[in-house]
Amino acid sequence: MAKITIENDFTPIVHDDKNILEVNKLKKYFPIKDGLFQGTVGYVRAVDGITFNIERGTTMGLVGESGCGKSTAGRTILRLLEKTGGQVLFNGKEVHDLDKKEMKELRTKMQIIFQDPYSSLSPRLPIHEIIGEAVREHNLVPKNEYNDYIDTIMHNCGLQPYHKDRYPHEFSGGQRQRICIARALALNPQFVVCDEPVSALDVSIQAQIINLLKDLQSKYHLTYLFISHDLSVVEHISDTIGVMYLGDLVEFGKKEDIFANPLHPYTQALFSAIPIPDPTVKMNRVILEGNIPSPANPPKGCKFHTRCKYCKKGVCDVERPPMKDMGDGHTVVCHLYDK
């Protein structure tokens, strides 16, 4: 069996105090097992060297098609999955180098809100236990203040005191997501990964949850990584936006710059699909041809070249494009902008 090697070359970055999170060439590969002895014959390159920073108190939206690696990136940043390579600095500390005790202390500062509120809540515990379980585990408040603390968290998330003894199946989808938000908020975090938190909800409820997240961010000075495939939601809540394709971050910048001037052909195709609520406006859809390549066997060169109408033969299909700074923090990974 041929030996499988993983390239893991990156230049360590210097921490900037204005950033709460700094991700540098982050990789997460999943081994593919085969044969009688289940040897590793390849890797699924779910996250393949992404780089970005998130400033304190801001929201970064992470968008892309299903299967592009958005959720895997979020879980690897939180160390719910171990990284394959790269750096994840939280307040200047490498998350994946911390020991068990240090990681337990960090867990209170980094939280996640999952996509499906029902499956992420224990059906056997009442709401006050779900929200307060980790509070007791980490001894965040004295015992005589515990009940008042849970009441305050529930109130801030739009839940009533009489909800405390009810179980998850007694709530609507929107209320369950409020419970998930309260559970994350109870640990007094600094950074929260929102993994498609409104995709399973009705549109009217989506707006309520998005407004709640924005209110809580303002009140507690939270920082969000907001993962979604709904660009209209991302536009409403984000300060910066990253666009992922097949494990790569192909474009990153301020929300205003990305929406006003999308540079990467993939970003342009995504944004052309945003519905316009005006029947008199003709939409200029960019239709992508071909299928998404396998992350286990990505194309050489630019991974998007098999679906790109601007593909340059002998360039895009051979050389992997470097990240280019187009000014004001707007970066793009595309040969169209080679000098």
Side-chain angles (χ1 to χ4, degrees):
M1 182 183 296
K3 185 178 180 180
I4 306 296
T5 60
I6 299 177
E7 296 180 5
N8 188 21
D9 53 336
F10 67 93
T11 303
I13 55 176
V14 180
H15 171 59
D16 187 340
D17 284 337
K18 72 177 182 179
N19 298 322
I20 191 171
L21 184 75
E22 293 158 317
V23 177
N24 179 32
K25 298 292 185 181
L26 178 64
K27 295 181 180 180
K28 176 57 187 177
Y29 296 171
F30 295 97
I32 301 172
K33 305 288 186 178
D34 194 18
L36 179 63
F37 299 103
Q38 289 295 290
T40 300
V41 297
Y43 292 92
V44 174
R45 300 169 180 258
V47 179
D48 199 14
I50 64 175
T51 299
F52 62 85
N53 300 326
I54 306 181
E55 292 189 14
R56 300 178 191 279
T58 66
T59 300
M60 174 187 163
L62 192 59
V63 302
E65 294 171 292
S66 295
C68 70
K70 305 186 299 296
S71 295
T72 301
R75 285 165 167 76
T76 307
I77 287 169
L78 295 180
R79 204 177 170 181
L80 298 179
L81 298 171
E82 292 294 329
K83 70 177 184 180
T84 302
Q87 278 182 298
V88 180
L89 301 184
F90 181 76
N91 287 327
K93 294 183 178 180
E94 169 57 72
V95 174
H96 289 260
D97 286 346
L98 300 179
D99 59 29
K100 188 174 182 180
K101 181 180 178 181
E102 293 172 324
M103 199 63 219
K104 182 178 179 180
E105 294 176 357
L106 185 63
R107 287 295 180 204
T108 63
K109 303 303 179 186
M110 305 172 74
Q111 286 294 301
I112 185 170
I113 301 169
F114 294 100
Q115 177 177 357
D116 184 356
Y118 191 63
S119 63
S120 63
L121 298 174
S122 172
R124 299 183 179 183
L125 294 179
I127 299 311
H128 72 90
E129 285 289 338
I130 290 174
I131 297 173
E133 187 176 23
V135 175
R136 286 200 302 267
E137 173 67 23
H138 292 277
N139 297 314
L140 294 183
V141 295
K143 290 184 178 180
N144 61 330
E145 299 177 11
Y146 172 80
N147 287 327
D148 290 339
Y149 182 77
I150 299 301
D151 287 343
T152 301
I153 294 297
M154 291 179 61
H155 173 76
N156 290 341
C157 294
L159 297 168
Q160 302 301 319
Y162 59 83
H163 289 151
K164 291 178 68 173
D165 295 321
R166 294 185 179 180
Y167 290 81
H169 72 273
E170 300 179 74
F171 293 89
S172 66
Q175 288 175 317
R176 289 181 196 136
Q177 198 58 285
R178 289 177 184 271
I179 296 166
C180 293
I181 294 171
R183 178 177 59 184
L185 191 66
L187 294 177
N188 193 26
Q190 298 175 7
F191 173 67
V192 181
V193 173
C194 305
D195 188 5
E196 303 205 35
V198 297
S199 62
L201 307 177
D202 294 338
V203 175
S204 60
I205 306 301
Q206 286 184 8
Q208 294 178 20
I209 297 300
I210 292 298
N211 289 333
L212 173 63
L213 289 171
K214 294 184 71 174
D215 290 343
L216 293 173
Q217 181 177 41
S218 177
K219 185 171 184 177
Y220 293 98
H221 199 62
L222 298 171
T223 304
Y224 293 142
L225 174 62
F226 192 91
I227 299 169
S228 180
H229 60 266
D230 190 331
L231 292 168
S232 59
V233 171
V234 170
E235 183 180 17
H236 186 69
I237 195 173
S238 300
D239 299 294
T240 57
I241 293 177
V243 182
M244 282 192 72
Y245 179 79
L246 209 64
D248 288 349
L249 194 70
V250 297
E251 190 165 356
F252 178 83
K254 295 179 180 178
K255 173 184 66 178
E256 296 79 7
D257 294 340
I258 296 286
F259 274 86
N261 184 30
L263 298 176
H264 198 280
Y266 177 64
T267 310
Q268 295 169 2
L270 282 182
F271 284 19
S272 73
I274 300 175
I276 301 174
D278 186 347
T280 63
V281 176
K282 184 178 180 181
M283 295 180 62
N284 296 317
R285 283 294 308 275
V286 178
I287 306 299
L288 296 178
E289 298 180 355
N291 297 320
I292 303 175
S294 169
N297 186 27
K300 292 183 179 180
C302 174
K303 293 181 182 180
F304 187 63
H305 84 264
T306 57
R307 306 173 72 194
C308 181
K309 64 180 180 180
Y310 303 109
C311 176
K312 303 175 186 177
K313 296 296 182 182
V315 179
C316 297
D317 56 348
V318 176
E319 301 176 16
R320 186 168 181 173
M323 179 181 289
K324 301 173 183 65
D325 190 344
M326 308 303 291
D328 200 23
H330 191 168
T331 61
V332 63
V333 179
C334 182
H335 284 301
L336 285 176
Y337 305 96
D338 289 345
K339 293 182 180 180

